Amino acid sequence: MRVLLVGAGGVGTAITKIAARRSFFDHMVVADYDLSRAEAAVAALGTDETRFSAARVDASDQTAVTALIAEHRCDVLLNATDPRFVLPLFEAALAAGANYLDMAMSLSYPHPDRPYEECGVKLGDGQFERADEWEKAGLLALVGVGVEPGLSDVFARYAADELFDEIEEIGVRDGANLTVDGYDFAPSFSIWTTIEECLNPPVIWEKDRGWFTTAPFSEPEVFDFPEGIGPVECVNVEHEEVLLIPRWVGAQRVTFKYGLGDEFIETLKTLHKLGLDRTAKVTVGGAEVSPRDVVAACLPDPATLGERMHGKTCAGTWVKGTKDGAPREVYLYHVVDNQWSMREYGSQAVVWQTAINPVVALELVANGTWSGTGVLGAEALAPRPFLDLLVEYGSPWGLREQ
């Protein structure tokens, strides 16, 4: 397998470090708009690692990406950029005849009149609209295979296959106790993506109602996270799992809630009030800039915060239903300690936890364990091989009876 990895930021660089320990691929081209970032990611692997090379590419330029795939004879494109670039990369892979993986899906757009009641354009709609074309081409677009979405979806399918007869609710729950020395406000993941997720109307799915929306930060609940993280207040946030899981897993209700904290929520609300969450460009001193890009530029790069970061992050899927006629409730989870991920890989916990899952998925595709055509989520495929390989990678998962 020959891989084109687009994006050499925190997650992309972590992907190279994880993949370098595996033998399932022949070559990985690491491409970024900033060639120096791609070169740095490759150089960090050492001179003995010859399976990686660096290239420059503009992820928004579909034609250039298609040409790069052809130039390097890549079988698959792995997208490690932010969601703005999903569609051009997705289309470039299809045009080049390559398979495709990403960790976030095409952007949503709120309903113009009833944003907190009805869906407008949903996350991933732009990709699912092209599913027939991918099937006709005999190609696989495996979407949303990071940690959330991704591993959380694998957990949902595993629960349906092996732990439950009937499922009442699947609720993805994400929380952490991470702190960053020296910063009053320092997001552990891309602030561009965080703003997009947290300020858009959250989506909920119910069997009798379908997909619908609610207000940002709605339905707060305190969820007790494992391995010493403890109780964290979680709120509704827009996320791909709610758009993916119901397509392949039977449940009465699907939700996603994120443990943000009051200070984080108030900061996001303030950005929104000031219009600093907008992506449309404004003119400042004769230059056109996006307010959200300015916010991102003013904050520290999450990939550089590992040495200052302490604590653990937890991603998981809470499932409620019945097994053998008796009520059952479980939480399937994956915890990463920042001290461990920094020591073992030199990557902070949140980006490393995101990065390991597409590498696991790539290996399953490479060895033929996961296969298919069209646009598929992780829950469309067998969960046990993924979970077993995750453990083989040295990153175990857990199950807690609630």
Side-chain angles (χ1 to χ4, degrees):
M1 174 184 278
R2 296 179 64 85
V3 182
L4 173 60
L5 169 65
V6 182
V11 173
T13 298
I15 284 172
T16 64
K17 295 174 182 177
I18 297 165
R21 300 189 183 192
R22 307 298 295 183
S23 61
F24 67 87
F25 65 99
D26 300 307
H27 192 79
M28 181 177 290
V29 180
V30 184
D32 197 277
Y33 185 79
D34 182 347
L35 178 59
S36 65
R37 291 209 309 179
E39 290 174 334
V42 172
L45 302 175
T47 56
D48 291 339
E49 180 52 86
T50 59
R51 293 178 299 161
F52 294 79
S53 61
R56 184 194 179 279
V57 75
D58 181 347
S60 68
D61 188 340
Q62 179 183 329
T63 301
V65 176
T66 300
L68 190 62
I69 294 171
E71 177 187 349
H72 291 278
R73 298 174 287 108
C74 293
D75 307 292
V76 59
L77 187 158
L78 173 54
N79 175 4
T81 65
D82 73 51
R84 287 174 290 182
F85 305 109
V86 162
L87 286 179
L89 294 174
F90 176 80
E91 295 291 352
L94 178 60
N99 292 323
Y100 169 89
L101 284 82
D102 65 28
M103 289 160 275
M105 298 180 68
S106 59
L107 293 172
S108 64
Y109 297 94
H111 191 281
D113 303 315
R114 293 166 53 84
Y116 303 136
E117 292 86 21
E118 297 182 32
C119 295
V121 175
K122 302 187 299 300
L123 290 169
D125 277 358
Q127 292 170 282
F128 282 114
E129 287 171 359
R130 299 280 277 152
D132 287 348
E133 296 301 314
W134 283 81
E135 288 186 24
K136 290 175 184 177
L139 296 171
L140 171 63
L142 186 53
V143 296
V145 287
V147 59
E148 292 173 340
L151 178 57
S152 52
D153 304 67
V154 172
F155 284 148
R157 178 61 184 267
Y158 174 75
D161 285 358
E162 300 196 26
L163 304 180
F164 290 85
D165 297 322
E166 300 287 339
I167 294 176
E168 179 182 334
E169 182 169 353
I170 296 172
V172 179
R173 299 292 184 265
D174 179 303
N177 61 359
L178 294 168
T179 60
V180 182
D181 293 340
Y183 290 98
D184 293 328
F185 184 76
S188 58
F189 201 70
S190 163
I191 189 61
W192 200 102
T193 303
T194 301
I195 290 172
E196 184 73 18
E197 292 175 348
C198 295
L199 292 178
N200 277 349
V203 180
I204 295 171
W205 185 86
E206 293 180 355
K207 186 174 182 180
D208 296 331
R209 187 174 176 182
W211 286 294
F212 62 95
T213 57
T214 183
F217 316 120
S218 57
E219 300 182 0
E221 68 174 57
V222 175
F223 192 86
D224 187 17
F225 289 92
E227 298 194 20
I229 295 174
V232 178
E233 184 176 80
C234 299
V235 294
N236 280 322
V237 168
E238 179 191 50
H239 232 249
E240 287 90 344
E241 290 95 325
V242 180
L243 287 310
L244 287 168
I245 289 171
R247 298 174 188 268
W248 291 284
V249 179
Q252 297 295 316
R253 178 178 165 90
V254 181
T255 59
F256 178 95
K257 291 188 179 182
Y258 194 10
L260 294 171
D262 291 339
E263 182 181 11
F264 201 104
I265 290 172
E266 287 306 313
T267 300
L268 292 174
K269 287 180 176 178
T270 300
L271 290 174
H272 180 64
K273 286 179 182 177
L274 296 175
L276 295 175
D277 61 325
R278 289 182 296 167
T279 57
K281 293 183 177 181
V282 298
T283 302
V284 180
E288 289 192 339
V289 295
S290 158
R292 193 185 300 184
D293 287 343
V294 173
V295 171
C298 290
L299 290 170
D301 179 352
T304 67
L305 297 176
E307 297 291 349
R308 295 172 175 262
M309 190 179 290
H310 309 278
K312 299 176 181 179
T313 184
C314 178
T317 305
W318 163 74
V319 186
K320 180 181 180 181
T322 59
K323 178 66 174 178
D324 298 327
R328 191 179 193 187
E329 195 173 335
V330 304
Y331 182 58
L332 300 112
Y333 63 89
H334 183 253
V335 171
V336 177
D337 186 320
N338 187 72
Q339 185 177 359
W340 175 86
S341 65
M342 287 298 298
R343 182 178 66 249
E344 289 292 317
Y345 286 89
S347 296
Q348 58 102 318
V350 176
V351 298
W352 188 89
Q353 188 182 46
T354 303
I356 189 173
N357 296 287
V359 182
V360 170
L362 266 180
E363 182 160 347
L364 292 175
V365 171
N367 64 29
T369 302
W370 273 12
S371 63
T373 59
V375 179
L376 303 179
E379 55 277 275
L381 301 165
R384 174 57 77 174
F386 189 103
L387 296 175
D388 289 346
L389 192 53
L390 186 67
V391 174
E392 184 181 313
Y393 273 51
S395 191
W397 55 282
L399 186 156
R400 182 181 70 188
E401 296 283 349
Q402 297 289 88

